[in-house]
Amino acid sequence: MKRYGMVIDTLKCIGCGDCVVACKTENKVPEGLCRDWIVEEVKGEYPHLQMEYRSERCNHCLHPLCVYACPTGASHIKKGTNITLVHPELCTGCKACIAACPYDARFVMPQGYVSKCTFCDHRLEKGQLPACVSVCPTHCMYFGDLNDPLSEVSQLLKRRKWKVLAPEAGTKPQVYYLT
Amino acid sequence: MYREGEKPWKIVGNSQDLYSHGRLCTRGTGGLGAYLDENRLKVPLIRTQKRGKQVFQEVSWQTALDFIAEKMELIRKKYGAHSLALFSHGIGGTWFKTLVKAYGSRNITAPSYAQCRGPREEAFKLTFGRGLGSPENTDIENTRCLVLIGSHIGENLHNGQVQEFAKAQERGATIITVDPRFSVAASKSKYWLPIRPSTDLALLLSWMHVLIYDELYDKKYVEKYTIGFQELKKFVKKFTPEWAYPITSLEPNLIRQTAREMAKHAPSVLVHPSRHTTWYGDDTQRCRAVAILNALLGSWGRKGGFYFPRKAHVPKYPIPKFPKPLKTWRDYLAPGQFPFASLPPANLLRDLSLPKEGKPAPIQGWLVYATNLPLTLPQPEKTYQALQNLELVVAVDILPTAITGWADVVLPECTYLERYDDLRISPGREAQVALRMPAFPPKYQSKPGWWIAKMLAKKLGLEKYFPWRDIEEYLDYRLKKIGSSLKEMKRIGVKTLPSNSPLYLPEEGDFSFPRPSGKIELYCKDLAAFGFDPLPSYTPHPEPPEGYFRLLYGRTPAHTFSRTINNPLLHELMPENEVWIHPQVARRFGIRKGEYVRLKNLDGVVSLPVKVKITERIRPDSVFMAHGFGQMQKQLTRAYGKGANDNGLMSRVAVDPIMGGTGFRVNFVTLERRSS
């Protein structure tokens, strides 16, 4: 069993959106939609400020509420991994998964089915990194198997302070943010 | 370039390229959008009505080029060949520079000089004997302390600089950022100095004071390599951090602490020279202060400071000597005007195109390659005035922009994905040569720049300056001279040539800097000889009047100014700019989140409606927006009317008397709510 995780160093991220564009071209995401996006969070008052940029996407949760909510089995977990995917042909576009996702990671394609980040599953199969990770000019994104204690991502989570988004949702998200 | 079947899919960087290491920037990753943009110029156009009316007729290349050649001949006969000016930006301009020099004019420039990098280049030349060039010889990757003053690396997504910035950060380098705005770089800094805009020189002088009077400077380096230290020491005596405090609003302790931090890491410290440096009109002097500060820290020619770049030597394709022009832009300068300008300020060529006292203007024709002058030059009303008085305006571009709307002839160039350009032979840590080659045949009737220039040369009887059959022969000739070939380069894209010139100063022995004294000139006699301050003095600049704010502007990683603004992929990432205002200002004007306002400057110029970003990241005395938006060209269906054009509000400029740079940050604006 592989537990794929993405680790994003917010201290290095500059919010440039390269990951967004790379994802859009790699996955041919239609105009007006995106599978990843940038969040700017500012705390404090001038000049005592702190800022964090985050590249956000589907968290490929270990407890995927989206998959649980899907009435047709279109949303599913890829065998042997934690990657959640959608079978377009099984999806009726009922949006139950969209309502269930605490990360607002899903959207409806013009064709009527739901789509979202796949961790570039098609690239992983070829031994490549997700498009967003491979393009990042600051190298702030890391990807690997968190079940492998020697992987770069496991080592980073051991060494550095990190957080996940909406931990209270109990979804066990697998996108980690180094802070 | 990857395709799926015949369809273009994506662009991925070349891992051997020292500028990208296989990771393109946002614009590079989205480059396909430029090719796909359906708003592109498709066929050559000739204007059929009054300039500015934008009524054009589609014509053949033959007709368009004949028209231009005829007009160029007329200008040559009537006013002299030197009356033609070329404005160009980017590597594609090479061919047009050759054409215009062959024709007999040296009035060739780029707004990237007097509207951007010029002051920095001249200041570093006057101090160290060489400018920074592009990309800069800044050793960010190896630095232990990076000082950014007016440089917004991160938002300014110069790929190499950003990659090195991230590496420096990862290695735990101390980052000190001076910026009135809480920039991305500021958010990643150990020290952020939220300086009052326009007072940077005061801070730089007080840093020098601390380094010298606390004896923190690199004594050995200063003694061995510099001249004028005693004059400098005397000069900065009074510029204590306490002196700088009321000017800059920065606490004396913070100034001292940051100076010490720099000294602690010296010489592995880099006070970044920044890039866009035309701010307040005393910009060469401010950049001189940056240069001097680096000299005190001993960082020029040291690891983690500035390296000596390597550059490939690739022989040129032999062409005849260019004719000597009858006159150049320098002949029109007053005695002592801009004595250190190494290029003509683009706004000067513009101003020379305005008729004066009924006499014909010295410049009568414009050839404009890939630069959108109405959105680039300050005081756009003068640009429009000039455009109405010229004999000939030719625009070579990819998109219909403000400048193509004013042209007599519009020549559609193909995008960089559809053409060869000259070799990229830029400086770096290695001597590298890179090839740009077409991934697709040109769309529509667009043509590559080399073809356009060569054809035009032929019509003008100047074909001997383009003696090669086609670009492939030209490139192959040059590449064979360095032991490669076009065939090889088409396969590998970039090639690193052996080079062992030292990157840093030698540990032992002498070194001569390319200055008259052979030394780093802290005190600059050349400046004194022209009546300028030989050491940089601080002069206060006007503050915004009540109810007005200083208009600050900068870059955004999603766009390369107006060039990418209509690119479908990048437009989606950032369709409009926002004006940043402090929450106090929002309260005072009763402005709500996401509301659209107009900006009005002191001369009554009003912007398009622009969305408000209420943020703590900006000082209450300033507003900020990204440059390049507010396009008024209707043919740009995505970008049209989105956001505000900061350049339209640049009614005033503070001109740098040393090299002619146009300081932009002297414009103040107030906010007008939409309903009012």
Side-chain angles (χ1 to χ4, degrees), chain A residues 19-30 34-36 107 109 113 115-123 130-132, chain B residues 4 9-10:
Chain A
C19 47
V20 178
V21 179
C23 170
K24 286 208 63 149
T25 50
E26 174 70 33
N27 296 298
K28 297 167 225 116
V29 182
C34 57
R35 295 183 180 185
D36 57 351
F107 54 87
M109 291 283 279
Y113 62 88
S115 182
K116 63 168 196 70
C117 163
T118 61
F119 268 172
C120 278
D121 181 46
H122 63 290
R123 289 173 61 96
C132 55
Chain B
E4 260 193 349
W9 177 21
K10 61 179 177 180

Side-chain angles (χ1 to χ4, degrees), chain B residues 264-306:
Chain B
K264 189 174 95 185
H265 298 292
S268 182
V269 51
L270 171 62
V271 186
H272 197 284
S274 188
R275 193 169 173 99
H276 174 82
T277 43
T278 45
W279 303 350
Y280 300 104
D282 56 357
D283 303 304
T284 306
Q285 292 290 12
R286 187 189 65 253
C287 295
R288 273 263 302 149
V290 171
I292 295 168
L293 191 64
N294 277 298
L296 290 174
L297 293 160
S299 68
W300 186 264
R302 308 290 274 280
K303 193 171 181 181
F306 297 82

Side-chain angles (χ1 to χ4, degrees), chain B residues 430-448:
Chain B
E430 300 286 350
Q432 205 174 52
V433 177
L435 175 72
R436 169 175 290 165
M437 61 179 184
F440 310 105
K443 257 193 177 186
Y444 315 114
Q445 286 183 40
S446 66
K447 291 279 188 188

Side-chain angles (χ1 to χ4, degrees), chain A residues 9-26:
Chain A
D9 191 344
T10 62
L11 300 184
K12 276 164 78 182
C13 177
I14 55 168
C16 71
D18 208 353
C19 47
V20 178
V21 179
C23 170
K24 286 208 63 149
T25 50
E26 174 70 33

Side-chain angles (χ1 to χ4, degrees), chain A:
Chain A
M1 163 80 187
K2 291 222 190 279
R3 179 157 67 94
Y4 285 121
M6 195 175 279
V7 176
I8 301 175
D9 191 344
T10 62
L11 300 184
K12 276 164 78 182
C13 177
I14 55 168
C16 71
D18 208 353
C19 47
V20 178
V21 179
C23 170
K24 286 208 63 149
T25 50
E26 174 70 33
N27 296 298
K28 297 167 225 116
V29 182
E31 202 178 329
L33 301 170
C34 57
R35 295 183 180 185
D36 57 351
W37 60 92
I38 304 291
V39 174
E40 173 193 312
E41 205 171 271
V42 181
K43 283 185 196 146
E45 281 182 12
Y46 193 99
H48 306 288
L49 292 163
Q50 277 186 318
M51 180 165 67
E52 181 176 291
Y53 273 114
R54 286 191 307 269
S55 172
E56 296 190 0
R57 60 187 45 61
C58 168
N59 281 267
H60 297 277
C61 305
L62 299 184
H63 292 158
L65 301 181
C66 52
V67 174
Y68 304 159
C70 179
T72 67
S75 277
H76 66 284
I77 302 165
K78 187 178 170 172
K79 213 174 160 195
T81 75
N82 58 307
I83 296 178
T84 61
L85 299 172
V86 181
H87 286 306
E89 66 280 11
L90 292 180
C91 177
T92 61
C94 77
K95 301 183 189 161
C97 58
I98 293 180
C101 173
Y103 305 104
D104 206 10
R106 294 175 163 246
F107 54 87
V108 182
M109 291 283 279
Q111 297 91 330
Y113 62 88
V114 167
S115 182
K116 63 168 196 70
C117 163
T118 61
F119 268 172
C120 278
D121 181 46
H122 63 290
R123 289 173 61 96
L124 301 184
E125 282 175 2
K126 289 189 238 161
Q128 298 170 334
L129 289 167
C132 55
V133 177
S134 75
V135 79
C136 175
T138 69
H139 288 253
C140 80
M141 303 168 79
Y142 305 84
F143 187 84
D145 181 6
L146 287 165
N147 279 344
D148 172 4
L150 296 176
S151 68
E152 191 181 28
V153 279
S154 297
Q155 292 293 318
L156 277 167
L157 294 187
K158 208 181 287 174
R159 226 173 48 228
R160 296 271 303 269
K161 272 205 299 195
W162 53 265
K163 67 175 181 191
V164 292
L165 299 181
E168 68 283 357
T171 57
K172 299 216 170 167
Q174 297 303 305
V175 177
Y176 296 80
Y177 294 94
L178 302 178
T179 57

